[in-house]
């Protein structure tokens, strides 16, 4: 005999549509019922739009997150090291996970970095790593556990059983114009991160042209919501608000970002990438209770050794040559002077059009596609000298990439000092 449902989806939608607060029981039911197909896609679409328009209070958001976590498994990371994780809200040239995970592991923590793929102008960590010959993204829970114990760091795809409600809802938000809802963004991020089972979490919440949140105020609101959710669920969470008006580092794409990350791990690399990597590492180590100087560990070469072990453990060859593009197009400086601006969003879109990103989840990406920024704001440039290098395996993509870069940079006689990358820190303690 069929047991009647305790709630009606229509009543839940109406309650939020009319500006009401959803009860804990309504939230638990609707997330579970949607995950199991009892609540139809069009009903959850309507509820997502109601949430987008009416918002949620902090208790609703925390409960919604908990219901998403409860929709699947929660990893139990039984390792001898303290566990700490990091999440970035996404940016252009944001390869920070690549040097950061092995660095923090080399300092004594375990870093379970379950990552995603790129969509639109922001690159995906897994796409970057898949440019390394042999490297594989999919690991079992047992493999994740073993690698954390042995190497201290793992960067891989989320297991299928982790927050399945989020997977369904994420796809739905994408096609119903409800992506930009802070309650839905925050619960999506935190349900996956809390389900990973780390005992501490550091968030890189970006703002600016190349970020999801365009203003510092928007980023602050999201960061505050995220840290509150972490605290509510017993996970100490720190958020850094970081600038994404200019691409991070000089490399934007897949293989080119891996190469730049290796430079950082070997003691070089762009100063902004090094600065942000160390800032995030310090916060992660503080949450892990480890009194270690990450700058000293980076300089010692131990982080690079850990990187090689991490890549090898997932079938990759850290010494193999990375893919190179069949076509390179060089963009030259229009005048002599100082590069005054370089718009992150435009560079991200151009890289995407060259083949480094995807418009739909099922689209392939080119390992060798991307852009090298041969000059960054504040640096001197000479008229006619190379400014940007466009890499692709499809030369026909170059005109569309060039169109994205129109008006994306400017040259002046002098330029003001660049803004600091890390603008604010928000700490949520349990």
């Amino acid at each position: 005999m069929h047991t009647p449902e305790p709630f009606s989806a229509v009543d839940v939608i109406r309650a939020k549509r009319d500006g009401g607060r959803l009860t804990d029981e309504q939230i638990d039911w609707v997330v579970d019922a949607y995950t199991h197909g009892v609540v139809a896609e069009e009903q959850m679409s309507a509820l997502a739009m109601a949430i987008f328009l009416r918002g949620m209070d902090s208790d609703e958001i925390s409960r919604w997150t908990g219901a998403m976590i409860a929709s699947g498994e929660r990893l139990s990371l039984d390792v001898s090291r303290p566990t700490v994780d990091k999440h970035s809200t996404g940016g252009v040239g944001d390869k920070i996970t690549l040097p950061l995970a092995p660095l923090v592991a080399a300092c004594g923590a375990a870093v379970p970095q379950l990552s995603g793929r790129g969509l639109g102008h922001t690159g995906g960590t897994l796409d970057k790593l898949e440019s390394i010959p042999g490297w594989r993204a999919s690991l079992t829970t047992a493999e994740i556990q073993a690698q954390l114990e042995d190497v201290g760091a793992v960067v891989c795809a989320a297991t299928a059983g982790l927050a399945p409600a989020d997977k369904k809802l994420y796809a739905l938000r994408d096609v119903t114009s409800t992506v930009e809802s802070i309650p839905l963004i925050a619960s999506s991020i935190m349900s996956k991160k809390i389900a990973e089972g780390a005992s501490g979490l550091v968030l890189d919440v970006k703002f600016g042209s190349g970020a999801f949140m365009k203003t510092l105020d928007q980023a602050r609101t999201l960061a505050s919501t995220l840290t509150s959710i972490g605290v509510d669920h017993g996970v100490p969470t720190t958020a850094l608000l970081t600038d994404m008006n200019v691409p991070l580092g000089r490399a934007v794409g897949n293989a080119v970002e891996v190469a730049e990350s290796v430079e950082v791990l070997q003691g070089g690399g762009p100063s902004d990438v090094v600065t942000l990597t160390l800032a995030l590492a310090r916060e992660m180590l503080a949450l892990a209770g480890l009194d270690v100087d990450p700058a000293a560990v980076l300089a010692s070469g131990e982080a690079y050794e850990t990187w090689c072990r991490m890549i090898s453990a997932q079938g990759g060859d850290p010494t193999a040559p990375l893919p190179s593009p069949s076509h390179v197009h060089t963009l030259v400086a229009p005048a002599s002077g100082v590069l005054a601006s370089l718009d992150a969003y435009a560079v991200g879109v151009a890289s995407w059009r060259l083949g480094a990103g995807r418009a739909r989840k099922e689209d392939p990406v080119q390992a060798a596609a991307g852009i090298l920024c041969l000059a960054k704001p504040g640096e001197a440039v000479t008229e006619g000298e190379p400014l940007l290098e466009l890499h692709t395996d499809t030369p026909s993509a170059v005109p569309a990439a060039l169109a994205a870069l129109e008006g994306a940079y400017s040259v002046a006689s002098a330029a003001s000092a660049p803004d600091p990358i890390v603008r604010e820190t928000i700490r949520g303690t349990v």
Side-chain angles (χ1 to χ4, degrees), residues 66-146:
M68 302 239 286
I69 296 167
S71 72
E73 64 185 10
R74 187 166 175 167
L75 295 187
S76 177
L77 300 173
D78 184 21
V79 291
S80 56
R81 304 163 176 238
T83 56
V84 63
D85 191 13
K86 165 258 180 188
H87 176 78
S88 166
T89 56
V92 177
D94 181 18
K95 74 280 296 173
I96 300 297
T97 289
L98 278 61
L100 180 65
L103 171 59
V104 174
C107 293
V111 186
Q113 184 75 78
L114 274 58
S115 297
R117 300 188 183 280
L119 199 59
H121 77 280
T122 60
T125 300
L126 300 182
D127 298 320
K128 303 179 207 298
L129 285 166
E130 281 179 340
S131 65
I132 300 171
W135 186 88
R136 63 188 178 99
S138 297
L139 301 181
T140 65
T141 303
E143 285 173 324
I144 292 170
Q145 183 99 12

Side-chain angles (χ1 to χ4, degrees), residues 231-392:
V231 170
D232 286 347
H233 289 271
V235 180
T237 303
T238 298
L240 270 59
L241 274 55
T242 69
D243 193 316
M244 186 29 76
N245 284 299
V246 175
L248 253 174
R250 296 183 182 275
V252 178
N254 294 313
V256 287
E257 290 196 40
V258 173
E260 187 166 88
S261 301
V262 170
E263 280 181 35
V264 170
L265 288 161
Q266 292 178 331
S271 60
D272 57 348
V273 177
V274 175
T275 296
L276 185 51
T277 300
L278 290 174
L280 290 163
R282 289 187 186 102
E283 296 296 342
M284 291 172 75
L285 293 168
L287 289 182
L290 294 169
D291 185 15
V292 182
D293 178 9
V297 173
L298 186 61
S300 74
E302 291 174 61
Y304 176 64
E305 289 173 19
T306 303
W307 159 266
C308 292
R309 291 174 61 213
M310 182 181 86
I311 297 302
S312 298
Q314 289 171 242
D317 181 355
T319 63
L322 292 163
S324 56
S326 62
H327 183 78
V328 175
H329 181 92
T330 304
L331 208 60
V332 300
S336 295
V338 176
L339 190 65
S341 64
L342 180 62
D343 183 69
Y345 178 72
V347 173
V349 170
S351 175
W352 166 36
R353 290 179 177 174
L354 291 169
R358 55 172 66 79
R360 299 171 304 163
K361 288 187 178 66
E362 58 273 19
D363 291 347
V365 297
Q366 292 178 24
I371 293 176
L372 286 181
C373 306
L374 304 177
K376 293 286 291 285
E379 295 177 354
V381 296
T382 304
E383 184 178 353
E385 290 295 307
L387 183 66
L388 298 172
E389 233 179 54
L390 280 56
H391 294 192
T392 186

Side-chain angles (χ1 to χ4, degrees), residues 5 31 116 172 185 340 399 411 426:
E5 295 294 330
V31 171
L172 188 72
I185 294 168
V411 177
I426 297 172

